[in-house]
Amino acid sequence: MAEERGKGWWEEYRGVLPPGFLDLAELEHHATYLRAIQMLNVPGLFQTAAYARELITSGVTNLPTADINARVEHRVRRREIFDRPNPPKFEAIIHEAALRMRYSPVDVMRAQLTFLHEASHWPSVTIRIIPFDTQITGSVHSMLYAGSAIPQLDTVQIDSAFDGGHLDAEAQLARYRALLDSLVTISLDADESSKFIQHIAQGM
């Protein structure tokens, strides 16, 4: 990691995007596996350009067009990790709310769900859906767990509407691993989730 630092594709955006965007891309690039929880929107790695643009422009800050374009392009390029010969395993746990929230026109949302359905069949990707009628115990928020070849370097990235933070203390990591494991037990399996996504897309 030290040898590669400063050489990734994300460095093209240094000085253009906030450092947190570059940190996230680098975190995903070096991860041996990824696990995520998304409660209100489709995970960034699976967002279409049109859907990402709607999310970005719906924020409270009025960004110049060039900045919006750079953020959309950067978000889509993060997906390059799945083009590698040995892509990281990615398990995404997505609440049904994220599939139904209307951040965009119907045609954009339908295309987004169609793409998510396709991504659910990628060899290294597992998508699990938590339906509305499933009880969730405790407070759950969106996050990304990036696993490393060296467990001590595992990192959790907290996702929020305005910023994010990183956690790497073992006690914190253990809590998030337990949370992810508990959500797996109440979510639909991969095949059921894929059909669930397709059903919602076709119903739009």
Side-chain angles (χ1 to χ4, degrees):
M1 289 176 63
E3 291 176 355
E4 290 185 26
R5 190 158 187 88
K7 299 178 182 179
W9 62 263
W10 50 87
E11 289 297 328
E12 298 173 24
Y13 298 88
R14 190 165 298 281
V16 177
L17 298 179
F21 286 75
L22 281 62
D23 292 342
L24 177 57
E26 185 171 15
L27 187 66
E28 292 168 339
H29 175 81
H30 289 294
T32 56
Y33 68 90
L34 297 158
R35 303 180 74 187
I37 301 169
Q38 279 294 341
M39 300 299 292
L40 296 177
N41 54 258
V42 172
L45 283 169
F46 303 125
Q47 290 178 11
T48 64
Y51 178 85
R53 186 175 298 276
E54 293 288 344
L55 283 180
I56 292 167
T57 57
S58 66
V60 295
T61 303
N62 293 321
L63 294 171
T65 299
D67 287 3
I68 294 172
N69 292 341
R71 291 180 183 223
V72 171
E73 181 181 82
H74 177 271
R75 188 165 300 182
V76 171
R77 287 190 66 181
R78 285 166 49 201
R79 198 154 55 238
E80 292 178 7
I81 61 172
F82 296 114
D83 296 330
R84 302 199 308 239
N86 295 300
K89 296 290 185 181
F90 188 101
E91 180 181 51
I93 301 172
I94 308 172
H95 197 276
E96 182 179 350
L99 308 181
R100 297 190 181 276
M101 294 284 279
R102 293 296 181 86
Y103 298 107
S104 62
V106 173
D107 61 329
V108 173
M109 194 65 202
R110 184 186 300 112
Q112 171 61 76
L113 293 182
T114 299
F115 182 78
L116 182 63
H117 175 258
E118 294 171 359
S120 71
H121 295 285
W122 294 353
S124 65
V125 171
T126 299
I127 293 178
R128 302 180 186 277
I129 303 299
I130 302 176
F132 276 129
D133 58 5
T134 300
Q135 179 179 347
I136 298 177
T137 303
S139 175
V140 180
H141 52 260
S142 298
M143 53 77 69
L144 175 72
Y145 189 108
S148 172
I150 303 173
Q152 291 85 348
L153 297 179
D154 286 6
T155 305
V156 165
Q157 191 246 355
I158 304 299
D159 193 11
S160 75
F162 303 104
D163 53 24
H166 293 84
L167 308 173
D168 55 16
E170 176 52 33
Q172 297 170 318
L173 296 174
R175 285 196 292 271
Y176 280 100
R177 288 195 297 267
L179 173 61
L180 284 157
D181 290 343
S182 70
L183 293 181
V184 167
T185 65
I186 64 172
S187 60
L188 302 178
D189 66 27
D191 289 339
E192 292 173 326
S193 295
S194 181
K195 294 175 183 176
F196 195 91
I197 296 167
Q198 185 178 42
H199 175 73
I200 295 177
Q202 292 175 341
M204 288 187 170

